[in-house]
Amino acid sequence: MLMRRVGFLLALLCLAGGPVRALPTDPCLEPGSDCTLRELADLAGVRIGAATQPALIQGDPTYAEILPREFGSLTPENQMKWVALRPDRDTYRFGPADELVAFAEANGMRVRGHTLLWSDPIRIPDWVSAIDDPVELQGVLDEHIDTVGRRYAGRVDAWDVVNEPLEIFGPPVLRDNVYLDLLGPDYIAQAFHAARAADPGAVLFLNETQVTSRAKFDALYALVTDLLAQGVPIDAVGLQGHYLTGFNEPAPGFLQEMVQAFADLGLLVELTELDMPVTPLTPDRLEAQARSLGRVMSECLAVEACQGITFWGFTDRYTWIDSFLAPGLIPLPFDVDYQKKPAWFAAADALRARAVGEPALLGLAAILGLGCARRRA
Ligand code: XIL
């Protein structure tokens, strides 16, 4: 009886187009096909994205042509941050963010909104950090999230509501900033409530960086479970993915374990800011980078709840790593001349594997002889 129920459920999943994706007969899934990452991601049922800036789209036709061809999702790299949108209390400057949203719409791309609240104290505008009255600060925060959320409601698919709430490398506790000082830890829950009210349709993310150690993961997991227990409307966890190739990558298996843990809480997961700089001292650096990037992507995509991967840029020609760490660390899948690097091919392979792979539930179906592929044949 139980087996028949399981079989019925699986049949429904198959008929509904369920978790099974493309059959391996699709030409894009042939190894070596010249399909784009966007095509492969569509076959895999996930989003592949890139962070971008209006000046690059306007100033470089090759860049502007490759971006929407290869990527189905777009994140404004800086233009939706407080410092850009709202240089002072009375001025909203929506122009550059609007341009990016319009570009995405013209090209059928999803937009990830980034970000309504960045906890990094050096990224909080001075005029906000200078507020010393809790009621005033909460009012400014609520008003900001309401204004920005409503403006882009229905045009932005997802919001990084709170970005980097935990200390980056120090003890894994909440970051010390004006919000924590004046409002206490509850500022995070309030931000999610405000975001849900402003844009009820957006997928709401908590986005965190450098989740590579057990201690940091435990702190993030505790934060998220606590928010869920309070009924806070959090839908998804973003893991940024600025990993230095061969140095601060999550240990093999650890990323998948983390993604699965969030999935088990009923949350979606995305790698939201993937770039993997590699030092010139690393032997066979392009291949080393490709192996690491392919592994990281595969570990996320192995879990059904991993719904998207966004690179922080896409070409080594324009990357924040050049100024943030050092020039020449080539973190992205296209080189400075827009040639595909080994990392691009590793990314394509990871997407192909997801497209033909069968997730755990259907693994059970295969054992029972009920696989969807056979059903459709
Ligand atoms: C970075 C941008 O890429 C830079 O251009 C800017 O000067 C600083 O911010 N984590 C984040 C992103 O959430 O917003 C950051 O983007 C990179 C780290």
Side-chain angles (χ1 to χ4, degrees), residues 254-265:
F254 188 41
L255 183 64
Q256 187 170 337
E257 182 190 330
M258 293 192 283
V259 175
Q260 187 62 58
F262 292 123
D264 291 345
L265 294 175

Side-chain angles (χ1 to χ4, degrees), residues 41-357:
D42 284 348
L43 287 170
V46 298
R47 312 290 196 139
I48 192 82
T52 186
Q53 318 221 29
L56 304 179
I57 293 173
Q58 285 149 14
D60 183 338
T62 309
Y63 177 101
E65 189 260 318
I66 294 175
L67 174 66
R69 174 155 55 86
E70 288 281 334
F71 301 96
S73 174
L74 176 159
T75 304
E77 185 168 345
N78 291 310
Q79 291 68 24
M80 288 183 169
K81 294 171 180 170
W82 272 60
V83 281
L85 270 188
R86 204 171 175 189
D88 60 60
R89 186 186 293 241
D90 303 319
T91 315
Y92 275 98
R93 202 176 283 154
F94 285 114
D98 286 354
E99 281 173 41
L100 288 178
V101 173
F103 179 85
E105 286 172 345
N107 289 286
M109 302 167 85
R110 160 187 87 150
V111 180
R112 294 196 79 261
H114 176 81
T115 169
L116 293 172
L117 186 166
W118 194 354
S119 296
D120 184 342
I122 67 165
R123 308 296 184 181
I124 298 172
D126 290 345
W127 67 270
V128 177
S129 292
I131 296 174
D132 58 9
D133 173 43
V135 175
E136 184 186 348
L137 182 64
Q138 188 67 62
V140 164
L141 198 47
D142 289 346
E143 188 268 330
H144 180 86
I145 293 175
D146 188 61
T147 304
V148 178
R150 277 178 201 280
R151 181 177 186 89
Y152 294 111
R155 303 178 75 194
V156 160
D157 258 47
W159 271 110
D160 289 331
V161 178
V162 177
N163 194 35
E164 303 180 351
L166 298 169
E167 288 292 346
I168 295 195
F169 293 117
V173 294
L174 290 181
R175 260 181 165 179
D176 192 16
N177 60 24
V178 65
Y179 308 121
L180 189 65
D181 287 352
L182 294 194
L183 308 174
D186 208 33
Y187 82 86
I188 297 173
Q190 291 307 327
F192 276 93
H193 284 298
R196 178 66 94 225
D199 183 355
V203 181
L204 303 184
F205 278 73
L206 187 148
N207 195 41
E208 189 51 274
T209 190
Q210 299 301 327
V211 192
T212 50
S213 68
R214 178 71 56 183
K216 182 121 183 207
F217 167 64
D218 287 347
L220 178 62
Y221 188 82
L223 173 61
V224 168
T225 46
D226 186 44
L227 292 170
L228 287 171
Q230 292 174 48
V232 172
I234 167 172
D235 305 312
V237 171
L239 300 171
Q240 290 188 5
H242 301 290
Y243 305 130
L244 185 59
T245 302
F247 288 96
N248 78 332
E249 302 170 24
F254 188 41
L255 183 64
Q256 187 170 337
E257 182 190 330
M258 293 192 283
V259 175
Q260 187 62 58
F262 292 123
D264 291 345
L265 294 175
L267 298 171
L268 301 174
V269 181
E270 295 194 17
L271 296 180
T272 51
E273 303 184 18
L274 186 57
D275 56 13
M276 300 204 64
V278 53
T279 79
L281 300 176
T282 306
D284 299 325
R285 65 198 296 233
L286 290 176
E287 281 67 31
Q289 177 184 52
R291 270 195 307 278
S292 290
L293 188 127
R295 179 178 71 76
V296 163
M297 284 186 62
S298 302
E299 286 199 26
C300 191
L301 293 170
V303 182
E304 184 69 22
C306 174
Q307 290 290 308
I309 295 179
T310 291
F311 293 103
W312 208 240
F314 69 88
T315 161
D316 293 337
R317 198 179 190 94
Y318 309 116
T319 163
W320 78 301
I321 294 292
D322 280 355
S323 51
F324 183 71
L325 286 181
L329 304 187
I330 56 169
L332 291 161
F334 286 85
D335 73 11
V336 291
D337 296 318
Y338 296 111
Q339 298 305 303
K340 294 171 185 170
K341 294 163 62 183
W344 184 96
F345 292 93
D349 284 347
L351 291 168
R352 256 187 218 106
R354 166 85 174 222
V356 299

